[in-house]
Amino acid sequence: MLPAHLKPKNVVLLKAVVFAACLLPLARLVWFGLTDNLSANPIEFITRSTGTWTLSFLLITLSITPLRRWLSINWLLRLRRMLGLYAFFYACLHFATYILLDQFFDWDSIVKDIMKRPYITVGFPSFVLLIPLAVTSTNAMIRRLGAKRWQQLHRLVYIIAVAGVIHYWWLVKKDVAEPLYYAVVLTLLLGIRLAWSLQGSRPIIKDARVTA
């Protein structure tokens, strides 16, 4: 059984291990690139990979509070900010792949894409909404905004996650098994929070932070 608390030096070690583990998807892409294993369509492969890891890290971040409450493992909260920032990191790679490799800064084509393709129309504002969450993820910004306003702002993550699943679902043309998996997990995570809200058992402000 995992301990409820960790010594500070163990927390530092844990965060270092998790930090390195979160880089593995990027290392995998780099390795595939170096060994010419990015499939017949490397741009699509990179776009899909960075997109799914963005969504995965969003869901992992949203799972921290339920796991902490059920398992009474307080140190899980120390990982939440890092995991949330990794979601933003992979979203940046996803967006950069589209802008640089797919469209090569053809802004007219990008604007038309955003307007015409539903999955891009949903995905682009989701990425934009992630920016203020990443910018305000520091303890200094929490103090500047105040805990209540900071918490209200970071509830945008629920909208972003829903939009992310819709973005993925619309992108897939045939087999929707994987986006369905993400949709089920997200529905479960949001359902838990809705149940807490109906029971009047809201997470306290400290627990709602994506900070360590």
Side-chain angles (χ1 to χ4, degrees), residues 59-70:
L59 297 185
I60 292 171
T61 304
L62 287 173
S63 71
I64 292 294
T65 295
L67 288 175
R68 179 260 176 184
R69 293 184 63 162
W70 286 339

PDB file of all heavy atoms in Angstrom, residues 59-70:
ATOM      1  N   LEU A  59      -6.130  13.989 -19.136  1.00  0.00           N
ATOM      2  CA  LEU A  59      -6.932  13.055 -18.343  1.00  0.00           C
ATOM      3  C   LEU A  59      -6.169  12.572 -17.105  1.00  0.00           C
ATOM      4  O   LEU A  59      -6.764  12.400 -16.038  1.00  0.00           O
ATOM      5  CB  LEU A  59      -7.350  11.856 -19.206  1.00  0.00           C
ATOM      6  CG  LEU A  59      -8.251  12.188 -20.404  1.00  0.00           C
ATOM      7  CD1 LEU A  59      -8.705  10.908 -21.100  1.00  0.00           C
ATOM      8  CD2 LEU A  59      -9.474  12.998 -19.961  1.00  0.00           C
ATOM      9  N   ILE A  60      -4.875  12.365 -17.256  1.00  0.00           N
ATOM     10  CA  ILE A  60      -4.066  11.965 -16.087  1.00  0.00           C
ATOM     11  C   ILE A  60      -4.109  13.072 -15.032  1.00  0.00           C
ATOM     12  O   ILE A  60      -4.261  12.806 -13.833  1.00  0.00           O
ATOM     13  CB  ILE A  60      -2.616  11.674 -16.511  1.00  0.00           C
ATOM     14  CG1 ILE A  60      -2.557  10.426 -17.381  1.00  0.00           C
ATOM     15  CG2 ILE A  60      -1.722  11.496 -15.284  1.00  0.00           C
ATOM     16  CD1 ILE A  60      -1.205  10.180 -18.031  1.00  0.00           C
ATOM     17  N   THR A  61      -3.996  14.324 -15.489  1.00  0.00           N
ATOM     18  CA  THR A  61      -4.054  15.455 -14.549  1.00  0.00           C
ATOM     19  C   THR A  61      -5.407  15.508 -13.843  1.00  0.00           C
ATOM     20  O   THR A  61      -5.474  15.723 -12.628  1.00  0.00           O
ATOM     21  CB  THR A  61      -3.808  16.772 -15.311  1.00  0.00           C
ATOM     22  OG1 THR A  61      -2.556  16.697 -15.997  1.00  0.00           O
ATOM     23  CG2 THR A  61      -3.780  17.955 -14.352  1.00  0.00           C
ATOM     24  N   LEU A  62      -6.483  15.292 -14.609  1.00  0.00           N
ATOM     25  CA  LEU A  62      -7.818  15.322 -14.007  1.00  0.00           C
ATOM     26  C   LEU A  62      -8.063  14.144 -13.065  1.00  0.00           C
ATOM     27  O   LEU A  62      -8.963  14.210 -12.219  1.00  0.00           O
ATOM     28  CB  LEU A  62      -8.885  15.324 -15.117  1.00  0.00           C
ATOM     29  CG  LEU A  62      -9.035  16.621 -15.898  1.00  0.00           C
ATOM     30  CD1 LEU A  62     -10.003  16.435 -17.080  1.00  0.00           C
ATOM     31  CD2 LEU A  62      -9.553  17.737 -14.991  1.00  0.00           C
ATOM     32  N   SER A  63      -7.290  13.090 -13.206  1.00  0.00           N
ATOM     33  CA  SER A  63      -7.493  11.916 -12.341  1.00  0.00           C
ATOM     34  C   SER A  63      -6.793  12.060 -10.994  1.00  0.00           C
ATOM     35  O   SER A  63      -7.058  11.269 -10.072  1.00  0.00           O
ATOM     36  CB  SER A  63      -6.982  10.657 -13.053  1.00  0.00           C
ATOM     37  OG  SER A  63      -5.561  10.671 -13.127  1.00  0.00           O
ATOM     38  N   ILE A  64      -5.924  13.044 -10.860  1.00  0.00           N
ATOM     39  CA  ILE A  64      -5.138  13.161  -9.623  1.00  0.00           C
ATOM     40  C   ILE A  64      -6.032  13.394  -8.403  1.00  0.00           C
ATOM     41  O   ILE A  64      -5.876  12.731  -7.366  1.00  0.00           O
ATOM     42  CB  ILE A  64      -4.114  14.311  -9.753  1.00  0.00           C
ATOM     43  CG1 ILE A  64      -3.039  13.946 -10.786  1.00  0.00           C
ATOM     44  CG2 ILE A  64      -3.477  14.622  -8.403  1.00  0.00           C
ATOM     45  CD1 ILE A  64      -2.161  12.799 -10.381  1.00  0.00           C
ATOM     46  N   THR A  65      -6.977  14.342  -8.510  1.00  0.00           N
ATOM     47  CA  THR A  65      -7.816  14.646  -7.347  1.00  0.00           C
ATOM     48  C   THR A  65      -8.666  13.445  -6.901  1.00  0.00           C
ATOM     49  O   THR A  65      -8.700  13.123  -5.708  1.00  0.00           O
ATOM     50  CB  THR A  65      -8.705  15.864  -7.638  1.00  0.00           C
ATOM     51  OG1 THR A  65      -7.859  17.006  -7.814  1.00  0.00           O
ATOM     52  CG2 THR A  65      -9.669  16.143  -6.488  1.00  0.00           C
ATOM     53  N   PRO A  66      -9.371  12.747  -7.832  1.00  0.00           N
ATOM     54  CA  PRO A  66     -10.116  11.564  -7.376  1.00  0.00           C
ATOM     55  C   PRO A  66      -9.228  10.501  -6.743  1.00  0.00           C
ATOM     56  O   PRO A  66      -9.592   9.918  -5.709  1.00  0.00           O
ATOM     57  CB  PRO A  66     -10.763  11.047  -8.675  1.00  0.00           C
ATOM     58  CG  PRO A  66     -10.827  12.217  -9.576  1.00  0.00           C
ATOM     59  CD  PRO A  66      -9.628  13.058  -9.254  1.00  0.00           C
ATOM     60  N   LEU A  67      -8.056  10.248  -7.343  1.00  0.00           N
ATOM     61  CA  LEU A  67      -7.166   9.228  -6.773  1.00  0.00           C
ATOM     62  C   LEU A  67      -6.674   9.633  -5.394  1.00  0.00           C
ATOM     63  O   LEU A  67      -6.593   8.808  -4.478  1.00  0.00           O
ATOM     64  CB  LEU A  67      -5.971   9.015  -7.723  1.00  0.00           C
ATOM     65  CG  LEU A  67      -6.270   8.283  -9.028  1.00  0.00           C
ATOM     66  CD1 LEU A  67      -5.039   8.253  -9.913  1.00  0.00           C
ATOM     67  CD2 LEU A  67      -6.748   6.861  -8.745  1.00  0.00           C
ATOM     68  N   ARG A  68      -6.358  10.915  -5.266  1.00  0.00           N
ATOM     69  CA  ARG A  68      -5.865  11.395  -3.967  1.00  0.00           C
ATOM     70  C   ARG A  68      -6.938  11.237  -2.890  1.00  0.00           C
ATOM     71  O   ARG A  68      -6.655  10.843  -1.757  1.00  0.00           O
ATOM     72  CB  ARG A  68      -5.417  12.848  -4.125  1.00  0.00           C
ATOM     73  CG  ARG A  68      -4.903  13.475  -2.843  1.00  0.00           C
ATOM     74  CD  ARG A  68      -5.966  14.322  -2.210  1.00  0.00           C
ATOM     75  NE  ARG A  68      -5.527  14.858  -0.935  1.00  0.00           N
ATOM     76  CZ  ARG A  68      -6.305  15.570  -0.133  1.00  0.00           C
ATOM     77  NH1 ARG A  68      -7.558  15.812  -0.485  1.00  0.00           N
ATOM     78  NH2 ARG A  68      -5.868  16.019   1.016  1.00  0.00           N
ATOM     79  N   ARG A  69      -8.181  11.550  -3.258  1.00  0.00           N
ATOM     80  CA  ARG A  69      -9.256  11.465  -2.263  1.00  0.00           C
ATOM     81  C   ARG A  69      -9.601  10.026  -1.911  1.00  0.00           C
ATOM     82  O   ARG A  69      -9.875   9.706  -0.760  1.00  0.00           O
ATOM     83  CB  ARG A  69     -10.492  12.206  -2.779  1.00  0.00           C
ATOM     84  CG  ARG A  69     -10.263  13.708  -2.875  1.00  0.00           C
ATOM     85  CD  ARG A  69     -11.518  14.442  -3.281  1.00  0.00           C
ATOM     86  NE  ARG A  69     -12.572  14.303  -2.289  1.00  0.00           N
ATOM     87  CZ  ARG A  69     -13.630  15.094  -2.221  1.00  0.00           C
ATOM     88  NH1 ARG A  69     -13.762  16.082  -3.080  1.00  0.00           N
ATOM     89  NH2 ARG A  69     -14.547  14.916  -1.318  1.00  0.00           N
ATOM     90  N   TRP A  70      -9.609   9.150  -2.898  1.00  0.00           N
ATOM     91  CA  TRP A  70      -9.971   7.759  -2.637  1.00  0.00           C
ATOM     92  C   TRP A  70      -8.864   7.006  -1.910  1.00  0.00           C
ATOM     93  O   TRP A  70      -9.131   6.187  -1.049  1.00  0.00           O
ATOM     94  CB  TRP A  70     -10.295   7.055  -3.948  1.00  0.00           C
ATOM     95  CG  TRP A  70     -11.621   7.453  -4.519  1.00  0.00           C
ATOM     96  CD1 TRP A  70     -12.676   8.011  -3.849  1.00  0.00           C
ATOM     97  CD2 TRP A  70     -12.030   7.336  -5.875  1.00  0.00           C
ATOM     98  NE1 TRP A  70     -13.709   8.253  -4.703  1.00  0.00           N
ATOM     99  CE2 TRP A  70     -13.349   7.846  -5.960  1.00  0.00           C
ATOM    100  CE3 TRP A  70     -11.424   6.870  -7.024  1.00  0.00           C
ATOM    101  CZ2 TRP A  70     -14.056   7.889  -7.151  1.00  0.00           C
ATOM    102  CZ3 TRP A  70     -12.137   6.901  -8.212  1.00  0.00           C
ATOM    103  CH2 TRP A  70     -13.430   7.402  -8.267  1.00  0.00           C
TER     104      TRP A  70
END
